[in-house]
Amino acid sequence: RSGTIIGSIVSMPDLDLKLDVRVLAVALTVSALTAILVSLMPAMHILRVPVGAVLKDGGGVVRRSTGGQRLLVSAQVGASLVLLTAAAVIFGAFHRVIAAHDVFDPRGLTDVMLQTNVTLNDAGKREAFYREVLAGAESDPGLAGAALTSTIPPFQWSVRAIVYRRGDEPAPGANTGSSGRHGVQTRAVSVSPGFFNIMRIAVQSGRSFTGKDDRTSSPVVIVSHRLSDALWPGRDPIGQFVAWPPVGGGTPRAPMLVVGVAADTRDVALTAMPPMVMYAPFTQLNAPNLMLVARGHEGSVVSAGTLRRIGAAVDPGVAVLGGSTLYQRLQDEFRPQRTASAWIGMFGIIALLLAGIGLYGVVAQGVLQRTREIAVRSALGASPGAIRAMVLGDGLRLAVLGATVGGL
């Protein structure tokens, strides 16, 4: 069981590493601007040299081959482009992990775990405690709302179940834990009626849970969209029944009526399919150590002390653990990877700076070698703009070569 949410993540998630055309365009633009800036400086310098003095000197500077230098500078430009693009792509992937959930908004949420399994072993006492805590949180003027849940997306869910359409379940005692022919592996989550509103997970059809869905009423569930498609493809699941037979025998569970379909939520790995989830009222699916999750007004952060105070006011003997914001925990989980992407970006900037210095040196050397040629062109009527364009073209050709190689 996930006592702490961070501990439930045991592996590095898959990343949605897709090359964004905008990222590549920005990197190419930066490379082009660097080439223009470093090429303009030698061009502006040569235009200030008196043409008459150059022609009077005679032979000018002997031109030497700079092919190797030009190739090295182009390679530097290409390497810097690769590093900058890689940093942007990796950083964008981590940002999407945190912020691009289809239907779930982690910002402004704070949660704590109510450790009831130590002092409240009786299911009835646990339910009464949860009800009082929830009532206290909902009446607190500093909170926009609160809910109870056995786990919180987008982290790995803790309770797994094999469910069937009613009538397709195996005979009592025959369920061995395998999904079998008609069974579907899903994740069972115990929640309070306000869970979907607080988490901002849309109930796409049917209804949400109400206070009337308790242990005295018929069992009800809300299924995720993907679970609905798996059990009743092409059909309306509202009004259907889910069978959840106990593994290896045990007391049979009554079929559960589907009253709603909730939008899918993603796990940490955005490239993975959304999990199939079955939600049940916490009064019908009794679970120890529920999470109390609260949202502040207008995006403000709820302090952990507020939630601890609410829990202690009901029963001081129940430990209230945790208390960080969900968004901060998501950021902390990926801090090493985000730091690595920042380092890659820094190396890309350094490489681009070195490439700019090298490009300036090559262009300046080329201008120096062509001083007499440029003076002759100027004497024959070439405009300053034409001279600048000639020098700029030389630098841009190097940049384009390097950017092409880096882009490939």
Side-chain angles (χ1 to χ4, degrees):
R1 178 169 177 85
S2 56
T4 59
I5 293 184
I6 294 180
S8 64
I9 302 179
V10 295
S11 62
M12 170 67 184
D14 298 328
L15 292 178
D16 189 15
L17 296 177
K18 296 185 296 185
L19 178 60
D20 193 327
V21 176
R22 293 171 297 181
V23 171
L24 184 58
V26 170
L28 289 172
T29 301
V30 170
S31 299
L33 288 176
T34 302
I36 291 172
L37 289 174
V38 299
S39 299
L40 273 176
M41 288 186 286
M44 298 302 295
H45 174 73
I46 195 63
L47 289 175
R48 291 196 296 267
V49 176
V51 173
V54 174
L55 295 177
K56 185 184 296 185
D57 284 344
V61 180
V62 177
R63 178 177 297 189
R64 297 176 182 174
S65 174
T66 57
Q69 294 173 335
R70 297 167 71 88
L71 286 176
L72 286 175
V73 169
S74 295
Q76 283 182 308
V77 173
S80 63
L81 179 65
V82 169
L83 288 172
L84 287 173
T85 304
V89 169
I90 295 174
F91 186 81
F94 288 124
H95 179 73
R96 286 191 292 273
V97 170
I98 295 176
H101 297 283
D102 294 338
V103 293
F104 166 60
D105 181 11
R107 293 176 173 82
L109 290 174
T110 302
D111 65 89
V112 294
M113 187 184 74
L114 306 171
Q115 195 174 30
T116 58
N117 63 336
V118 177
T119 58
L120 300 175
N121 295 320
D122 180 71
K125 292 181 178 179
R126 279 201 302 268
E127 180 182 331
F129 170 78
Y130 289 144
R131 285 182 179 276
E132 290 188 49
V133 168
L134 188 59
E138 290 176 338
S139 63
D140 192 298
L143 306 182
L148 295 169
T149 177
S150 57
T151 188
I152 298 176
F155 297 96
Q156 300 295 327
W157 306 79
S158 56
V159 179
R160 296 182 181 270
I162 301 174
V163 297
Y164 302 80
R165 293 186 296 266
R166 185 173 65 171
D168 292 340
E169 69 271 20
N175 188 12
T176 61
S178 172
S179 57
R181 181 179 178 184
H182 302 290
V184 175
Q185 285 195 349
T186 185
R187 296 163 179 180
V189 183
S190 178
V191 301
S192 66
F195 172 79
F196 297 99
N197 182 48
I198 293 300
M199 301 299 294
R200 296 179 182 171
I201 299 175
V203 177
Q204 297 174 330
S205 62
R207 67 172 178 86
S208 187
F209 297 135
T210 68
K212 296 181 179 180
D213 298 316
D214 56 23
R215 64 170 61 189
T216 63
S217 61
S218 300
V220 293
V221 292
I222 293 174
V223 296
S224 67
H225 183 83
R226 187 162 173 251
L227 178 58
S228 169
D229 288 343
L231 289 175
W232 301 281
R235 297 167 57 188
D236 184 6
I238 305 301
Q240 304 289 343
F241 284 87
V242 175
W244 182 11
V247 176
T251 305
R253 299 184 180 93
M256 299 169 288
L257 176 67
V258 177
V259 297
V261 177
D264 291 324
T265 58
R266 291 190 182 274
D267 281 348
V268 171
L270 290 181
T271 53
M273 291 293 290
M276 291 185 282
V277 185
M278 177 180 69
Y279 303 93
F282 79 96
T283 51
Q284 296 181 356
L285 180 59
N286 193 283
N289 303 340
L290 291 183
M291 314 290 295
L292 174 63
V293 56
R295 188 181 291 275
H297 292 285
E298 299 179 353
S300 61
V301 177
V302 179
S303 69
T306 299
L307 302 185
R308 293 192 185 96
R309 174 180 53 78
I310 293 172
V314 177
D315 188 341
V318 175
V320 181
L321 307 178
S324 61
T325 66
L326 183 57
Y327 186 72
Q328 183 61 49
R329 211 157 50 242
L330 275 167
Q331 288 186 317
D332 291 342
E333 186 65 30
F334 298 111
R335 190 177 301 280
Q337 291 78 26
R338 290 192 298 115
T339 302
S341 68
W343 276 103
I344 293 174
M346 186 184 70
F347 289 141
I349 293 173
I350 293 174
L352 187 62
L353 178 61
L354 293 176
I357 295 172
L359 186 60
Y360 171 78
V362 170
V363 172
Q365 184 180 14
V367 169
L368 180 62
Q369 293 172 347
R370 301 173 67 182
T371 300
R372 183 172 177 79
E373 175 192 341
I374 293 172
V376 171
R377 288 176 180 270
S378 181
L380 292 177
S383 65
I387 301 296
R388 280 193 294 267
M390 181 183 69
V391 178
L392 264 177
D394 195 29
L396 283 175
R397 279 191 292 272
L398 293 176
V400 169
L401 176 61
T404 302
V405 174
L408 294 177

